[in-house]
Amino acid sequence: MRSVMRRVTTMTSSFFLQSPPLPISHKPLLSPIPKQYCLSSFLPLPTQRFLTATHGSRLQTFSTKSEPNMQDSGSVSYLTQREAAEIDETLMGPLGFTVDQLMELAGLSVATSIAEVYKPTEYSRVLAICGPGNNGGDGLVAARHLHHFGYKPSICYPKRTDKSLYTGLVTQLESLSIPFVSVDDLPEDLSKDFDVIIDAIFGFSFHGAPRPPFDDLIRRLVSLQNSEKTLQKHPVIASVDIPSGWHVEEGDHEGEGIKPDMLVSLTAPKLCAKRFCGPHHFLGGRFVPPQVAEKYKLELPSYPGTSMCVRIGKPPKVDISAMRVNYVSPELLEDQVESDPTLQFRKWFDEAVAAGLRETNAMALSTTNKDRKPSSRMVLLKGFDENGFVWFTNYESKKGIDLTENPCAALLFYWESLNRQVRIEGPVERISEAESENYYHSRPRGSQIGAIVSKQSSVVPGRHVLYDEYEQLTKKYSDGSLIPKPKNWGGFRLKPNLFEFWQGQPSRLHDRLQYSLHDLNGNPAWRIHRLAP
């Protein structure tokens, strides 16, 4: 979408280089539980994922001759500078978009693309270098969204404009206490203070040689790649629509420009993107109407679900053996934990909920059948107390049969962003019919019907069979009458005899505290041991 805002803010070349899960009950369940890989190494996305507004020959004005080490241009459309400008004019003319709408969508697309690859747990320190035009505005918007995503952005915005759109963006950032850093205050070596640098200096309307202070800023970004020869980690560079200083169609033709790790193309990739050799190429700007796609014969990947970005090509191949995280966490010490492991679990669980983790109650359930063959799957915890941990399922499912044949199981909770996991083992029993009945009728009516429809783990000839039966039952109970609980559906309760609390630590010297039951004067009691990592 650099295609989006260029013309509204025309800069002079002399000044600007031209330009939630269900709640968990802590109570008994007697009531309802209320560095760089060229694109030639990527495979194209499956054909069915692309919008095919036209078939047969590609749009001639978009196509170029095949070049070595380039992604197949037939899989996605690339825009010339003129075409990008025309699309912008169409969007902001007859189609009724405003520059601030498109800038907001562009900045959100950049932020979500960064969050897709570079998690805030490892790449929290972000520097957005923003130019004087709309590309810089995208960077300002992206920084605001990244702040809300949990990052710690800073802004370098050396050539501000007094236009109300941009002053408003600055005010929004200042209201969030996001710091603005002058060029003079930036360190010469950006590696020490930042994990991600957003290159939002120039967009597709730029041409000519960069002028101060942007020439020096681009030089610093280029120098970061030279630090790869050392062991020092350098910040990743994410360029907005066009790597700053590149020719919009010819790219970095002199080979001395920025080589970003990520490129977030907007609206559609520009021709220079064919020469992008970084590992992460995303498309953002989910606003192209069908008539624009048809007029320009655009072939673009479809956006998955509610996402504001989509990857172009596949992620780079990685050396799995070299993938590792050096955990940094508070110490887990024996004199700091609860003597009762259920209370310690409740403490950690509540902290995971407070951290905003998705589906905190998701747990791996491992079972074995009578032949001692193990199997694991993810299920949702629906309640816990001193009597045990409860989940619900079809008793005739694979896990239900396993637990009937061998009523022992293991649970595993993993809260990645907290560097924590909890293992729980013990015998399993069915909960009472009354408890299962109460919980069943506390569920949404659609979920109640789904439990009847699904003969869990059995073979079905097709999804339509499930839909057809679901629709029939929905009509049957459309009067709001009570939906009967299936006899083969209910809850299990694991009664723990072993807990292990794991806290990740540097150099793989993890903390592992194990609670095990032992007999103390004829009464069960918990004993805490530290295990080697």
Side-chain angles (χ1 to χ4, degrees), residues 303-345:
Y303 289 83
T306 59
S307 178
M308 290 300 298
C309 63
V310 58
R311 182 182 286 276
I312 299 178
K314 288 192 173 182
K317 294 181 180 180
V318 297
D319 179 2
I320 296 178
S321 66
M323 296 177 69
R324 57 178 52 87
V325 174
N326 193 32
Y327 303 103
V328 178
S329 313
E331 293 179 331
L332 181 64
L333 303 177
E334 290 84 339
D335 60 356
Q336 296 177 352
V337 297
E338 301 287 345
S339 58
D340 184 332
T342 301
L343 295 179
Q344 181 62 33
F345 178 86

Side-chain angles (χ1 to χ4, degrees), residues 41 95 106 108 126 163 182 199 203 218 308 331 379 406 415 442 483 497:
S41 66
L95 293 180
L108 178 58
V126 177
K163 293 182 180 295
S182 70
D199 160 31
I218 292 175
M308 290 300 298
E331 293 179 331
V379 300
N406 183 10
W415 299 311
S442 74
I483 302 173
N497 55 28

Side-chain angles (χ1 to χ4, degrees), residues 47-157:
T47 304
Q48 64 267 27
R49 293 191 60 195
F50 288 9
L51 299 174
T52 52
T54 60
H55 302 279
S57 61
R58 294 278 339 282
L59 177 62
Q60 291 184 353
T61 55
F62 287 67
S63 60
T64 59
K65 294 182 180 180
S66 297
E67 300 181 63
N69 299 326
M70 303 295 173
Q71 184 178 5
D72 179 11
S73 63
S75 63
V76 62
S77 300
Y78 291 81
L79 301 177
T80 65
Q81 186 175 31
R82 176 182 60 79
E83 292 154 353
E86 287 180 359
I87 290 177
D88 274 5
E89 292 170 0
T90 301
L91 289 170
M92 292 186 289
L95 293 180
F97 284 93
T98 61
V99 64
D100 52 335
Q101 285 179 315
L102 294 172
M103 189 175 290
E104 185 68 26
L105 291 170
L108 178 58
S109 298
V110 172
T112 55
S113 298
I114 291 172
E116 187 78 16
V117 177
Y118 303 111
K119 304 304 180 184
T121 50
E122 296 182 66
Y123 296 88
S124 63
R125 303 172 303 167
V126 177
L127 173 65
I129 304 179
C130 301
N134 295 296
N135 202 264
D138 293 348
L140 296 175
V141 174
R144 168 162 45 82
H145 286 293
L146 287 171
H147 169 82
H148 292 303
F149 292 170
Y151 294 81
K152 298 176 180 178
S154 300
I155 313 292
C156 180
Y157 189 27

Side-chain angles (χ1 to χ4, degrees), residues 135 147 190 214 282 333 347 353 359:
N135 202 264
H147 169 82
L190 300 174
F214 300 108
F282 281 80
L333 303 177
K347 178 180 178 181
V353 170
E359 291 199 313

Side-chain angles (χ1 to χ4, degrees), residues 9 31 123 165 185 202 230 298-299 324 375 411 514 520:
T9 312
S31 58
Y123 296 88
L165 170 60
D185 289 336
F202 304 122
T230 70
L298 296 180
E299 293 183 19
R324 57 178 52 87
S375 60
L411 308 177
Q514 183 187 85
L520 180 62

Side-chain angles (χ1 to χ4, degrees), residues 289-499:
Q291 54 266 53
V292 171
E294 292 170 5
K295 177 180 178 181
Y296 290 92
K297 297 182 173 59
L298 296 180
E299 293 183 19
L300 302 173
S302 58
Y303 289 83
T306 59
S307 178
M308 290 300 298
C309 63
V310 58
R311 182 182 286 276
I312 299 178
K314 288 192 173 182
K317 294 181 180 180
V318 297
D319 179 2
I320 296 178
S321 66
M323 296 177 69
R324 57 178 52 87
V325 174
N326 193 32
Y327 303 103
V328 178
S329 313
E331 293 179 331
L332 181 64
L333 303 177
E334 290 84 339
D335 60 356
Q336 296 177 352
V337 297
E338 301 287 345
S339 58
D340 184 332
T342 301
L343 295 179
Q344 181 62 33
F345 178 86
R346 178 175 298 167
K347 178 180 178 181
W348 272 21
F349 186 89
D350 289 345
E351 290 175 357
V353 170
L357 305 189
R358 184 171 180 266
E359 291 199 313
T360 309
N361 58 327
M363 60 185 186
L365 167 65
S366 298
T367 58
T368 54
N369 61 13
K370 62 182 179 181
D371 298 323
R372 297 186 295 178
K373 292 182 178 179
S375 60
S376 298
R377 76 288 290 161
M378 300 301 295
V379 300
L380 296 177
L381 177 70
K382 287 300 176 180
F384 71 92
D385 57 24
E386 64 278 5
N387 295 314
F389 291 71
V390 173
W391 66 94
F392 292 86
T393 188
N394 187 311
Y395 289 141
E396 296 175 357
S397 65
K398 174 68 168 66
K399 56 184 171 293
I401 294 173
D402 280 1
L403 291 170
T404 299
E405 295 178 349
N406 183 10
C408 291
L411 308 177
L412 173 63
F413 294 85
Y414 178 54
W415 299 311
E416 183 264 343
S417 64
L418 298 178
N419 299 334
R420 288 175 174 175
Q421 59 179 312
V422 183
R423 295 176 52 234
I424 307 172
E425 298 176 5
V428 176
E429 62 184 15
R430 293 188 184 186
I431 67 174
S432 70
E433 186 69 10
E435 289 177 285
S436 293
E437 191 83 37
N438 283 336
Y439 174 70
Y440 179 81
H441 291 297
S442 74
R443 306 175 84 203
R445 290 178 68 84
S447 297
Q448 295 180 46
I449 293 174
I452 300 174
V453 170
S454 177
K455 311 302 186 288
Q456 202 173 85
S457 301
S458 64
V459 176
V460 293
R463 189 169 180 81
H464 66 280
V465 175
L466 300 175
Y467 274 120
D468 291 345
E469 187 176 352
Y470 183 89
E471 290 298 324
Q472 293 173 12
L473 290 174
T474 299
K475 292 178 181 178
K476 180 178 179 179
Y477 296 108
S478 61
D479 58 356
S481 58
L482 186 71
I483 302 173
K485 182 187 77 67
K487 291 295 183 183
N488 62 351
W489 189 95
F492 284 104
R493 176 183 285 110
L494 182 145
K495 300 177 70 67
N497 55 28
L498 183 143
F499 284 79

